[in-house]
Structure formats: structure tokens, C-alpha cells
């Protein structure tokens, strides 16, 4: 008995799920995923304008897929006002598309690119492309806000197309990756276009009804040609045509209507074109019949059929019963009697002064639309399931409601589980991050990396939860840029298989394990941190000095004073960055403005050479805030081997910071001009530097770095080009590097995304984006090597940038295939041993700056 009942019940469900079909498309039901995530759309049908790499090709643009590098990414950044990039899907046949879903590149936590906005273009024939607009005429669709959530957008009006393009849009230059899905169903009508006289305007006592076809996608001059619009949007008009389902539109919106005065012939002719020759059974015309307003369904229709090459001689005539009693809108069904045609031309005769249509559908062959809900697809997370159209009336059957409720409950449960899991992961990340990161100032210095003078605070253990949370938030959402290190990982063939990572990765280290490493460490990738500033170029241009400035000046931390701008005399430009320039200037009367502790260095009553870093006056607010924070950080650094901030000009634009400048320029140029002591120098009469003085300079750098590391600052760009030389071989560490064209060859430029001094960077900085004091130690080793080579040669000069990155992979794999910088001719073994210790694979085995400093002092005779 029970068994029987069960079968019965199942059958019932099956009937509900599969049974119901109908002859016209219902946008509330036509919401099936069309096969990006499900795989029904083949790889070869997904194409794109360009791709960043093979691993971010168009075929990886499938929603919810994590293959390849996790999404489609175009080759170049998306610029404002350029709509060059697109991801194109060929659905192979016409589809009615009601919904689109987009997602960014998450790649298990290492991706952080997404499209904040996009446009859609579509085509039915692959030749004529139409820009989608919503019912208010807006083209831009709001996209994603993070790299992982799926954002679904209803297309109002829906699209009828075979080809669809997603075109990322941005108001500033940014990197974008997309994964997408289309939802809808096949367009069984096969209608490609209808051509009709333009709809007219009806004057009513109080207002007019606009009976034009407001979403027609063809040309409208006197008549409408080559498009589809309201007659095929799946929305049937209401009985009273002055109202509409659609929110916030004018009276008469749903209908296209004509007045008999404009048609002396007494009929309106509409021509329908189809994708192919079809066997037509019926045409259904949704007509308004509000005779109180002189609107009636048509009195008669005469249809001509075009098949093969000609119009059939005998038309089909049909006269519906004229209904004078019931004013409700209705479908009038015209039997097309199995005529074969690829085009149909119908003349609709007026029954009254007005004729208003809201939909025309065609039934051909035997295909029918489903009316039941799309069966839930397994494996989809709840938010990928297209939401049911709220205006769509679900059948009132109890069973269906029950099923619906059950499904909903399941989804809610799944959603809750997903959210809980997600939050746990997130919480962990936040905790790790908060432990490791950086107080308020760090945010600033992280984001000013591309600028000059940036110092970074390392993994401070003293900061509170609150601060790090804000740091975290600030860094992550603002930098939707590539994290190149993870890309670099992918480029290294065996990286994924390596099992010798002692510290963090497990034996089965795969790409995702690497990811975990990064996440566990909670250290932001350089891209997330560094490019924050490069992003914000479109911010508002408010010039008011923010409140921060005030506490900057009054605060105890800051012991710098405002310097009268007029006392600065420009000498030469030292460098130029994204947000400003660095000038060499002479400052008069600097002594009065300087902190007393400086005075030892500077002769009185003489103009002082200073470096003046200026923020462009059109820099945005973020850049300004970062600049002010940088001042704050700089003002705290007090060490004889670190360049000092002398004064600032922040009362008016452009904001300036005035720092020491050393008369001998940077160490790289200084050493290049000099020769080692010896025969050669004697012959060429070049100035020389003794080995002792080389050691002296290296010791000072180590001392300055010892100071920075004691404050947990990470420099990130230690190199001879960033050290300044004063009298008697004194050295002060600065950070001008990236702003100077002179050294652009030292930085690896990733397609305008970020510049990295890869030849100075540790393997973990390049591959994992980790910057620590230990990576500064690595860079120190390279700096030492430069010094002993008299900066005559770039590190790894025989290797290309790509080979340097390959070599980094060898450092990671540690199979004795990595290439170390060779021992310089001048370099005694003891010194080379220090260098080699700086380049140890395991960060913990590298010496501290204290140890280095001590060792250097011992080498110095
Ligand atoms: C239709 O009429 C409305 C109301 O006058 C107007 O705003 C809209 O631009 C018209 N649309 C077209 C496509 O002509
Ligand atoms: C059109 O379809 C009907 C019904 O399926 C069929 O009887 C008829 O033969 C078809 N006509 C042509 C020309 O194929
Ligand atoms: C339009 O329709 C109205 C109402 O049926 C009729 O009185 C009028 O003569 C018609 N005008 C034309 C030009 O047919
Ligand atoms: C009917 O439903 C199936 C899924 O059950 C879907 O794949 C198909 O596209 C639907 N067809 C139409 C015309 O809606």
C-alpha cells in the first residue's frame, strides 16, 4: 500500500516538474543556466578580445569554475572610456536571456580581480551588435564587489540573441577578470526581427499614453526595422493599458499602438522575419480591448508567407470574433495552418480608432516552452540559483508549494552552512592578519610603495585588533589588481610539485597549498598593498587639508615644522612618480626650522641642499592622506644612517616634504664613478675608493637597517640606488628608487601593473608576496654584492627578467640548481660568506641585521 502511494507521489512530482509546457515564453520561468557553469557551452564557443595568458583564456570565464587561473582576464588593464575588452559567448542558436551572473577571479584566495561594472552587447547574426540598455535607457550594469560572490542581474528587458558579450567597464584604470553565466532558454519563436510602423501617442483627458516601442533594438525612423522589442519581451500588458507591471514608466508603456487616422488603408502591416524556414502552427497576438478608450483587438488579419524565394500568392485570412463585452486584454490566436515560411507579413485591420499590441508569439514545428520552474541543479550554491521572478504566479497546487518550501529550506540550510564555513575561514584570515599587520601608518607606507621614501612596518606585534581590521579592510577591497607572484608561480613548471617547503606547505604542495600558505601568513601580496594608490586616480579633488594634518602638526610624534616655500630654490629634478616629483633644492635658513639635533651636520648661514618631494596638486584625497601619513612615519625615523625629514610644507598645495640630501648623490652613481684602488685606477687616473671604505659604507647600511628592523620597518627596496653618500663616505638610506627613470631597468614592470626590483628580491617576496626583515636581509646581500662590484654590473646581468624569476623558482625548489651571484673579484671569502647567508632559502636561517652589522665590523680592519 505504502509503496503504491510512494510511486503515485513521485509520479505527481515528475508530472509537475516535466509535464507542463506552453506555447509562449514566460520570462519568470525561462531562467535556466545556459551552460557556462554546467559545461553545455563548449570551450570553442567562448572567446574574448584578448587574454592575459593561456591560463586566463576565455574558456576559464565560466561562473563557479576554478580551472586555469580562475577566470578570464584580458591582456591589459581596463581603461575608462575604452570598451575594447569583451568576453563573448556563442549560444549556437537564438536564446531568450533573462538573467546574467558575474563573478571575479578568486582562485582559492589569491585572486582579487573583478568587474565592478560591465555592459552587455548582443547579436543575433554575429554581424549587427546591439548595446543592451535597461528600461530606463542605462547601459552600465553594476557588477561585483569582491572576487568571489556571484552577482545576478535581471535583464529588463530580456535579450533575444545568439551571441552575447560581457564588456568590463571601469571609471579608472584597473585589472579585471570575469566569470559569467547566462540564464534563459531557447527562443523557440525563432523570430529575428519585426518591422512595423512606429507606435503613436494617444491623448487622454489628463495626459497622453505613449504607445511607442521603447525597447525596440532596431532602427526607428518612420517605422521600426530589423529589431525586436516590447512585442517580444515576454511582458503582457494589463487590461488598462495606462498602467504597467513595470515600475516607474509612462502610461501606455507595455503596449505598441496605432491610430486608424494614420492608416488610410485601414490596417497596420507588420513583417516578421525568422531564423530559418519553419512550419507554423499558430500566431498569438496579445491585444488590449479597452473599448471605453476606443481600443479594440483587430477585426481581421491577412497574412502572407515567404518561403524559399517568394511570397505565396494566396494569403491566409482570419477574423476573430469582435468582443464588445469583455474589456480585458487577451491573446488572439491565429491558426497559421502549417504554412512553411521564413518570413510572414500580416495586415491587422482596425476594429476601432486604436489597436494596441503588447506581445506577438509564434508557434512552429512542435517545440514548446516549459512552464515549470527550472529544476534545481545539484552542486549549485544557493546564490547561483536564479531567483524566481516575484511577479510570476506559481501554480497554486499544494504539492508544488510543498516542494518549493522544501527546496527553499534546503537552500537556506546550504546557505547557512556556506556562510558559517566562509566566516570561519575569514575570521582566521583576519586573526592572522591582525597579528601580523601593521598599524595605521603601515597602511600608508604600503600604499606609497610606488612613491619615494616608503618604509614599511613589519608584522608589528603591538597593534590592536581594531587597527589591523581597518588595515585589512583598506588593503583588500581597494586593490583589485593582479597578484603577480601567484601568476609567477604558475609559470614555473615544477613549482606545483615541489615538496620540500619545510616551513609551511605540505608534501603534496599544489597551487592551492601555496595559496593556503599565503592566506595563513596573512601577509598581503604586494599587489594588494602596493597598488592601492595607483588605483585611486579618479578620486575627488578636494584640496582642503584634512583634519589629519592638524594633529600631525600638534601631535607629539611629529617634530617637523612648516617651512616657508619661498625659501626653496629649485636646482634639478631628481625623480618623478605617479603622484609627484622629487626636486633637488637649496633651502635658505633651513637651520632655524630644523630640529636642534640636526645641527651638527649643517654649516650655518649657507643654503642647504635638500630633496623636496612634492605631491601633485591634483592628486586625490587618498594620495594626500597617504602622503601625510608618510610624513608622520618619516618624522619618527631618527638614525644617523637613515635620511631625515627636515620640514614640510602642508599649509598649501602642493604638499611637500623636505628631506636631507647628500652632496655625493646616490651610492650607485657614486661607486660607478669610482674605481677600486690599484694599478688600473692609477693608469686611468680615476678616483678610487679603498676596500676599507667600501666596508665602512656597507657597515653603515647594515646599521641603518638594524635600526629600521628594530622598529619592525620593512624597507622593501634596499639597493645602492637608494643609499645616499655624503662627506667622508657617510651613508644614509633613502628610498627614491622607483621614481627615477635612471633605474627603471632595475625594476620588473608587469604590464604597467606594478614595478618590482626582482633582482634584489628574495624568493618568497617574488613568489609569495612576503616582505619581511628577512627579505630586506636578502636585498642587503645583493646590495653588498653591488658595492663590491663598484656597481659596474647589474645583479644577474646575464639573465633576463624572466630567467631571474625562473631562478627564484630554483631557490624555492632548492635542488641545487639555483644560481647565486658570483663572488666579486675584490670580495674576500668572509664577506662572500655573509652574502651567501643572506640568500639562504629558509628565512629563519638568514642572519639578522644585528648579526650582519657585527660581522661587518669584525671584517673591517
Ligand atoms: C517613447 O516615448 C517616451 C515618452 O515620450 C520617450 O521618453 C521615449 O524616448 C520613447 N522611446 C522611443 C524608443 O522612441
Ligand atoms: C508541418 O507540421 C505538420 C504537423 O507536424 C505536418 O503534418 C506537416 O506535414 C508539416 N509540413 C511540412 C511542409 O513539413
Ligand atoms: C477611425 O475609427 C473611428 C471609430 O471607429 C471611426 O469613426 C473613424 O471614421 C475611423 N477613421 C478612419 C480614417 O477610418
Ligand atoms: C526546458 O527545460 C530544460 C531543463 O529541464 C531546459 O534545458 C530547456 O532549455 C527548457 N526549454 C525551454 C524552451 O524553456
Amino acid at each position: 500500500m505504502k509503496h503504491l502511494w510512494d510511486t503515485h507521489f513521485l509520479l505527481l512530482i515528475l508530472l509537475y516538474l516535466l509535464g507542463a509546457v506552453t506555447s509562449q515564453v514566460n520570462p519568470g520561468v525561462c531562467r535556466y543556466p545556459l551552460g557556462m557553469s554546467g559545461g553545455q557551452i563548449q570551450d570553442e564557443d567562448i572567446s574574448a578580445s584578448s587574454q592575459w595568458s593561456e591560463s586566463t583564456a576565455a574558456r576559464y570565464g565560466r561562473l563557479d569554475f576554478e580551472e586555469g587561473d580562475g577566470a578570464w582576464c584580458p591582456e591589459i588593464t581596463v581603461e575608462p572610456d575604452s570598451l575594447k575588452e569583451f568576453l563573448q559567448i556563442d549560444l549556437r542558436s537564438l536564446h531568450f536571456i533573462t538573467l546574467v551572473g558575474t563573478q571575479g577571479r578568486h582562485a582559492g584566495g589569491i585572486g582579487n580581480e573583478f568587474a565592478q561594472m560591465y555592459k552587455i552587447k548582443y547579436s543575433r547574426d554575429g554581424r549587427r551588435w546591439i548595446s543592451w540598455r535597461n528600461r530606463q535607457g542605462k547601459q552600465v550594469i553594476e557588477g561585483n564587489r569582491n572576487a568571489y560572490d556571484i552577482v545576478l542581474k535581471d535583464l529588463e528587458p530580456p535579450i533575444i540573441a545568439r551571441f552575447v558579450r560581457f564588456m568590463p567597464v571601469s571609471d579608472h584604470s584597473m585589472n579585471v577578470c570575469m566569470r559569467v553565466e547566462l540564464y534563459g532558454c531557447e527562443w523557440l519563436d525563432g523570430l529575428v526581427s519585426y518591422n512595423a510602423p512606429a507606435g503613436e501617442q494617444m491623448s487622454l483627458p489628463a495626459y497622453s499614453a505613449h504607445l511607442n516601442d521603447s525597447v525596440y533594438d532596431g532602427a526607428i525612423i518612420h517605422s521600426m526595422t530589423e529589431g525586436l522589442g516590447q512585442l517580444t519581451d515576454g511582458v503582457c500588458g494589463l487590461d488598462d493599458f495606462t498602467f504597467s507591471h513595470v515600475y516607474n514608466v509612462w502610461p501606455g508603456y507595455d503596449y505598441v499602438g496605432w491610430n486608424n487616422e494614420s492608416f488610410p488603408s485601414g490596417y497596420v502591416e507588420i513583417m516578421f522575419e525568422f531564423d530559418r524556414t519553419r512550419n507554423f502552427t499558430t500566431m498569438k497576438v496579445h491585444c488590449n480591448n479597452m473599448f471605453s478608450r476606443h481600443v479594440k483587438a483587430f477585426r481581421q488579419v491577412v497574412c502572407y508567407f515567404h518561403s524559399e524565394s517568394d511570397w505565396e500568392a494566396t494569403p491566409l485570412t482570419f477574423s476573430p470574433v469582435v468582443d464588445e463585452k469583455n474589456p480585458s486584454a487577451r491573446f488572439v490566436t491565429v491558426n497559421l495552418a502549417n504554412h512553411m515560411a521564413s518570413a510572414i507579413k500580416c495586415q491587422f485591420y482596425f476594429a476601432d480608432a486604436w489597436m494596441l499590441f503588447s506581445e506577438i508569439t509564434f508557434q512552429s514545428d512542435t517545440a514548446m516552452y516549459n512552464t515549470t520552474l527550472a529544476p534545481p541543479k545539484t552542486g549549485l550554491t544557493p546564490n547561483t540559483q536564479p531567483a524566481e521572478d516575484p511577479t510570476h504566479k506559481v501554480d497554486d497546487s499544494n504539492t508544488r508549494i510543498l516542494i518549493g518550501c522544501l527546496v527553499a529550506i534546503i537552500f537556506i540550510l546550504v546557505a547557512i552552512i556556506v556562510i558559517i564555513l566562509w566566516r570561519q575561514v575569514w575570521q582566521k584570515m583576519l586573526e592572522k592578519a591582525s597579528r601580523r599587520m601593521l598599524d595605521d601608518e603601515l597602511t600608508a607606507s604600503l600604499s606609497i610603495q610606488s612613491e619615494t621614501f616608503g618604509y614599511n612596518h613589519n608584522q608589528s606585534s603591538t597593534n590592536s585588533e581594531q587597527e589591523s581590521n581597518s588595515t585589512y579592510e583598506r588593503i583588500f577591497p581597494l586593490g583589485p589588481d593582479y597578484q603577480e607572484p601567484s601568476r609567477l608561480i604558475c609559470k614555473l613548471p615544477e613549482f606545483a610539485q615541489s615538496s620540500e617547503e619545510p616551513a609551511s606547505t605540505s608534501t603534496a604542495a599544489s597551487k592551492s597549498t601555496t595559496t593556503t600558505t599565503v592566506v595563513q601568513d596573512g601577509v598581503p601580496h604586494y599587489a594588494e598593498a602596493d597598488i592601492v594608490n595607483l588605483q585611486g586616480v579618479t578620486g575627488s579633488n578636494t584640496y582642503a587639508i584634512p583634519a589629519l594634518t592638524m594633529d600631525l602638526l600638534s601631535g607629539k610624534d611629529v617634530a617637523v615644522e612648516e617651512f616657508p616655500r619661498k625659501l626653496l630654490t629649485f636646482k634639478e629634478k631628481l625623480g618623478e612618480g605617479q603622484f609627484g616629483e622629487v626636486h633637488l633644492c637649496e633651502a635658505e635658513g633651513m637651520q632655524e626650522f630644523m630640529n636642534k639635533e640636526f645641527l651638527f651636520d649643517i654649516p650655518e648661514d649657507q643654503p642647504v641642499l635638500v630633496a623636496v618631494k612634492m605631491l601633485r596638486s591634483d592628486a586625490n584625497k587618498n594620495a594626500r592622506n597617504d602622503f601625510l601619513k608618510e610624513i608622520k612615519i618619516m618624522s619618527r625615523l631618527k638614525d644617523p644612517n637613515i635620511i631625515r625629514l627636515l620640514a614640510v610644507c602642508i599649509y598649501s598645495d602642493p604638499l611637500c616634504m623636505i628631506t636631507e640630501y647628500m652632496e655625493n648623490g646616490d651610492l650607485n652613481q657614486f661607486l660607478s664613478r669610482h674605481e677600486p684602488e690599484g694599478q688600473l685606477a692609477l693608469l686611468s687616473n680615476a678616483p678610487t675608493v679603498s676596500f676599507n671604505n667600501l666596508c665602512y659604507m656597507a657597515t653603515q647600511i647594515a646599521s641603518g637597517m638594524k635600526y629600521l628592523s628594530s622598529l619592525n620597518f620593512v624597507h622593501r627596496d634596499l639597493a645602492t640606488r637608494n643609499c645616499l653618500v655624503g662627506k667622508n663616505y657617510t651613508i644614509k638610506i633613502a628610498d627614491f628608487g622607483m621614481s627615477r627613470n635612471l633605474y627603471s631597468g632595475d625594476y620588473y614592470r608587469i604590464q604597467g601593473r606594478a614595478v618590482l626590483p626582482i633582482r634584489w628580491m628574495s624568493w618568497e617576496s617574488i613568489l609569495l608576496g612576503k616582505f619581511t626583515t628577512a627579505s630586506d636581509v636578502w636585498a642587503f646581500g645583493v646590495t653588498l654584492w653591488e658595492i663590491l662590484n663598484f656597481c659596474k654590473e647589474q645583479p644577474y646581468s646575464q639573465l633576463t627578467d624572466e630567467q631571474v624569476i625562473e631562478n627564484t623558482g630554483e631557490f624555492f625548489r632548492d635542488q641545487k640548481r639555483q644560481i647565486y651571484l658570483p663572488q666579486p673579484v675584490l670580495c674576500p671569502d668572509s664577506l662572500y660568506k655573509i652574502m651567501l647567508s643572506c640568500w639562504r632559502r629558509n628565512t629563519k636561517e638568514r642572519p639578522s641585521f644585528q648579526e650582519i652589522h657585527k660581522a661587518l665590523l669584525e671584517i673591517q680592519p
Side-chain angles (χ1 to χ4, degrees):
M1 212 35 214
K2 181 155 186 296
H3 180 76
L4 247 182
W5 189 87
D6 273 358
T7 331
H8 199 90
F9 185 68
L10 271 179
L11 261 178
L12 241 160
I13 294 175
L14 272 180
L15 270 178
Y16 276 117
L17 287 178
L18 308 169
V21 288
T22 182
S23 58
Q24 66 259 352
V25 66
N26 177 348
V29 167
C30 172
R31 294 163 80 86
Y32 302 92
L34 295 182
M36 286 296 277
S37 43
Q40 295 90 334
I41 296 172
Q42 301 298 306
D43 281 349
E44 62 261 31
D45 293 332
I46 310 171
S47 56
S49 52
S50 71
Q51 65 193 39
W52 160 259
S53 67
E54 208 31 54
S55 56
T56 59
R59 66 177 179 281
Y60 298 112
R62 296 172 183 272
L63 196 91
D64 245 10
F65 262 54
E66 293 279 354
E67 250 82 303
D69 258 359
W72 163 70
C73 309
E75 187 183 359
I76 52 165
T77 52
V78 170
E79 303 291 339
D81 315 316
S82 101
L83 274 178
K84 281 196 289 256
E85 303 298 340
F86 60 81
L87 177 63
Q88 176 175 322
I89 300 159
D90 177 0
L91 295 166
R92 292 279 166 177
S93 64
L94 290 178
H95 278 72
F96 191 87
I97 301 156
T98 52
L99 189 70
V100 288
T102 58
Q103 200 179 11
R105 186 180 85 93
H106 187 229
I110 48 174
N112 194 21
E113 301 82 26
F114 51 90
Q116 290 169 320
M117 293 177 283
Y118 60 97
K119 292 186 184 183
I120 283 184
K121 275 196 174 185
Y122 60 93
S123 174
R124 289 187 272 272
D125 55 10
R127 288 190 303 275
R128 191 169 75 93
W129 288 88
I130 304 158
S131 297
W132 180 84
R133 315 168 169 270
N134 72 5
R135 296 196 189 271
Q136 282 72 43
K138 209 178 138 213
Q139 292 188 20
V140 175
I141 303 175
E142 293 278 321
N144 297 85
R145 289 172 166 265
N146 57 44
Y148 41 86
D149 279 333
I150 295 169
V151 172
L152 297 175
K153 290 285 173 186
D154 275 294
L155 292 180
E156 278 286 347
I159 289 172
I160 295 165
R162 171 176 161 180
F163 302 92
V164 178
R165 283 179 181 173
F166 287 82
M167 317 182 80
V169 176
S170 176
D171 58 6
H172 60 269
S173 171
M174 70 181 290
N175 298 306
V176 160
C177 298
M178 289 185 94
R179 286 179 283 169
V180 303
E181 176 65 288
L182 299 168
Y183 301 85
C185 57
E186 237 196 307
W187 176 233
L188 301 178
D189 288 43
L191 194 58
V192 175
S193 76
Y194 59 80
N195 307 310
E200 294 176 286
Q201 183 173 328
M202 182 196 288
S203 299
L204 296 169
Y207 51 85
S208 340
H210 295 275
L211 301 167
N212 60 2
D213 191 335
S214 51
V215 298
Y216 192 72
D217 64 15
I220 309 178
I221 300 165
H222 296 295
S223 59
M224 304 189 275
T225 47
E226 290 217 45
L228 295 173
Q230 281 189 309
L231 296 185
T232 52
D233 69 352
V235 179
C236 293
L238 300 174
D239 294 348
D240 183 345
F241 61 88
T242 61
F243 291 101
S244 170
H245 285 302
V246 181
Y247 174 71
N248 209 0
V249 286
W250 55 85
Y253 182 86
D254 289 343
Y255 287 93
V256 185
W258 304 271
N259 181 234
N260 68 348
E261 301 290 340
S262 322
F263 298 87
S265 52
Y267 62 82
V268 172
E269 185 174 273
I270 306 182
M271 160 115 112
F272 304 93
E273 289 168 327
F274 297 87
D275 52 351
R276 57 181 166 85
T277 302
R278 287 168 173 261
N279 182 343
F280 285 98
T281 51
T282 49
M283 167 174 76
K284 293 185 175 188
V285 185
H286 191 261
C287 308
N288 191 277
N289 203 41
M290 197 174 180
F291 36 77
S292 59
R293 296 233 186 259
H294 303 286
V295 179
K296 261 189 213 141
F298 53 92
R299 165 169 69 78
Q300 188 185 47
V301 62
V302 178
C303 290
Y304 297 82
F305 296 89
H306 188 277
S307 62
E308 321 289 64
S309 56
D310 236 336
W311 290 101
E312 277 177 26
T314 46
L316 177 146
T317 304
F318 174 75
S319 305
V321 188
V322 176
D323 185 348
E324 305 260 359
K325 290 194 195 75
N326 182 356
S328 53
R330 80 271 321 274
F331 268 111
V332 176
T333 303
V334 180
N335 186 349
L336 298 180
N338 290 115
H339 275 272
M340 298 292 293
S342 61
I344 302 178
K345 186 166 67 185
C346 290
Q347 295 162 348
F348 298 91
Y349 284 81
F350 287 93
D352 206 331
W354 287 91
M355 192 157 61
L356 270 57
F357 298 161
S358 76
E359 284 292 298
I360 300 183
T361 71
F362 287 88
Q363 291 70 50
S364 54
D365 309 327
T366 48
M368 295 294 255
Y369 291 99
N370 313 326
T371 56
T372 42
L373 311 181
K377 286 194 63 191
T378 47
L380 278 184
T381 49
N383 54 355
T384 65
Q385 191 64 32
E388 190 51 33
D389 184 349
T391 60
H392 170 65
K393 276 203 199 122
V394 181
D395 198 353
D396 55 2
S397 150
N398 281 342
T399 326
R400 234 190 249 192
I401 291 170
L402 196 72
I403 293 170
C405 289
L406 284 173
V407 168
I409 288 167
I410 291 169
F411 277 159
I412 290 167
L413 285 175
V414 170
I416 290 170
I417 291 167
V418 166
I419 289 167
I420 289 172
L421 287 177
W422 178 243
R423 286 188 66 172
Q424 272 175 357
V425 170
W426 194 242
Q427 201 87 39
K428 270 204 192 123
M429 286 168 71
L430 279 177
E431 273 167 23
K432 295 274 178 178
S434 61
R435 242 175 283 135
R436 297 196 154 250
M437 285 202 307
L438 332 161
D439 61 20
D440 202 28
E441 284 82 356
L442 166 63
T443 319
S445 54
L446 279 175
S447 51
I448 52 178
Q449 261 307 299
S450 57
E451 283 282 295
T452 55
F453 304 98
Y455 292 98
N456 288 337
H457 201 290
N458 174 35
Q459 303 174 2
S460 165
S461 51
T462 54
N463 48 30
S464 77
E465 202 90 341
Q466 235 178 353
E467 280 169 333
S468 25
N469 273 3
S470 67
T471 310
Y472 199 80
E473 267 169 14
R474 169 120 188 263
I475 291 171
F476 281 81
L478 277 178
D481 245 283
Y482 287 90
Q483 286 123 67
E484 300 309 327
S486 62
R487 283 184 183 288
L488 300 176
I489 291 172
C490 307
K491 283 192 180 153
L492 298 167
E494 305 102 293
F495 189 86
Q497 277 92 51
S498 172
S499 57
E500 281 137 303
E501 165 68 280
S504 39
T505 42
S506 68
T507 37
S510 64
K511 212 173 118 200
S512 61
T513 331
T514 319
T515 307
T516 332
T517 318
V518 176
V519 171
Q520 277 170 355
D521 289 339
V523 178
H525 283 189
Y526 80 89
E528 289 158 343
D530 292 359
I531 309 190
V532 170
N533 244 9
L534 304 178
Q535 293 282 319
V537 272
T538 51
S540 61
N541 294 336
T542 13
Y543 297 138
I545 298 176
L548 184 75
T549 316
M550 294 306 137
D551 60 56
L552 188 75
L553 291 174
S554 57
K556 275 180 246 128
D557 300 339
V558 184
V560 284
E561 284 183 61
E562 177 79 10
F563 187 77
R565 217 175 271 277
K566 58 178 188 292
L567 298 182
L568 291 171
T569 316
F570 174 81
K571 301 260 317 179
E572 71 180 84
K573 190 155 108 182
L574 290 176
E576 189 169 0
Q578 170 113 0
F579 288 102
E581 293 182 352
V582 183
H583 291 179
L584 180 64
C585 292
E586 271 179 358
E588 264 178 74
M590 176 55 82
Q591 290 82 349
E592 286 170 39
F593 287 89
M594 276 175 359
N595 213 287
K596 303 292 164 276
E597 20 178 339
F598 280 103
L599 287 176
F600 61 90
D601 237 6
I602 295 167
E604 286 197 39
D605 302 328
Q606 251 183 48
V608 181
L609 270 186
V610 292
V612 179
K613 183 189 178 188
M614 281 183 229
L615 188 71
R616 265 190 241 295
S617 49
D618 59 352
N620 66 39
K621 224 168 158 179
N622 279 346
R624 295 171 71 84
N625 280 340
D626 288 342
F627 193 84
L628 292 169
K629 286 185 181 169
E630 186 182 352
I631 291 176
K632 210 166 159 181
I633 296 164
M634 286 286 294
S635 70
R636 286 192 192 165
L637 299 178
K638 288 178 184 151
D639 183 88
N641 297 118
I642 302 287
I643 210 83
R644 292 287 293 256
L645 178 66
L646 302 177
V648 293
C649 311
I650 48 177
Y651 287 153
S652 63
D653 273 320
L655 302 184
C656 295
M657 63 176 92
I658 302 168
T659 66
E660 289 179 283
Y661 192 76
M662 315 279 280
E663 58 255 52
N664 285 322
D666 73 62
L667 181 57
N668 189 291
Q669 285 179 313
F670 178 80
L671 284 179
S672 307
R673 288 195 302 264
H674 288 74
E675 295 290 339
E677 286 178 329
Q679 289 296 324
L680 200 74
L682 279 176
L683 287 176
S684 65
N685 212 5
T688 58
V689 180
S690 68
F691 174 74
N692 282 357
N693 281 330
L694 288 185
C695 282
Y696 174 53
M697 290 191 286
T699 313
Q700 292 176 74
I701 298 173
S703 173
M705 290 307 296
K706 190 174 90 179
Y707 170 76
L708 279 188
S709 65
S710 73
L711 294 178
N712 282 329
F713 277 100
V714 178
H715 187 290
R716 287 190 178 215
D717 193 13
L718 181 60
T720 53
R721 63 181 170 275
N722 280 329
C723 299
L724 296 181
V725 186
K727 277 200 195 67
N728 301 326
Y729 306 106
T730 50
I731 295 280
K732 290 183 188 228
I733 301 168
D735 186 4
F736 293 103
M738 295 198 200
S739 65
R740 303 169 73 183
N741 285 336
L742 187 57
Y743 297 113
S744 57
D746 290 345
Y747 296 90
Y748 179 56
R749 190 171 287 278
I750 306 163
Q751 296 221 346
R753 284 181 173 100
V755 279
L756 293 177
I758 51 168
R759 290 163 198 271
W760 282 260
M761 279 165 72
S762 67
W763 69 267
E764 76 274 6
S765 300
I766 293 181
L767 296 182
L768 302 176
K770 280 168 69 173
F771 291 89
T772 59
T773 296
S775 59
D776 274 353
V777 166
W778 182 296
F780 178 83
V782 181
T783 308
L784 197 54
W785 183 89
E786 283 187 277
I787 292 172
L788 287 159
N789 269 314
F790 274 74
C791 299
K792 300 285 193 285
E793 192 189 335
Q794 203 191 26
Y796 305 108
S797 57
Q798 76 283 9
L799 303 185
T800 63
D801 283 347
E802 284 69 28
Q803 285 167 332
V804 169
I805 291 162
E806 288 291 329
N807 192 38
T808 303
E810 296 298 347
F811 270 106
F812 169 79
R813 285 185 286 270
D814 205 17
Q815 292 161 343
K816 310 273 174 274
R817 285 200 302 246
Q818 63 268 46
I819 304 168
Y820 289 89
L821 288 168
Q823 183 168 358
V825 182
L826 281 180
C827 181
D829 289 349
S830 53
L831 212 47
Y832 190 56
K833 247 167 84 183
I834 295 180
M835 287 181 206
L836 290 176
S837 67
C838 294
W839 303 325
R840 284 186 189 140
R841 184 186 182 286
N842 190 342
T843 52
K844 296 202 182 79
E845 289 170 15
R846 293 178 206 157
S848 67
F849 279 114
Q850 241 148 340
E851 288 163 341
I852 294 172
H853 185 235
K854 203 161 145 250
L856 286 173
L857 282 177
E858 279 162 13
I859 287 173
Q860 239 180 306

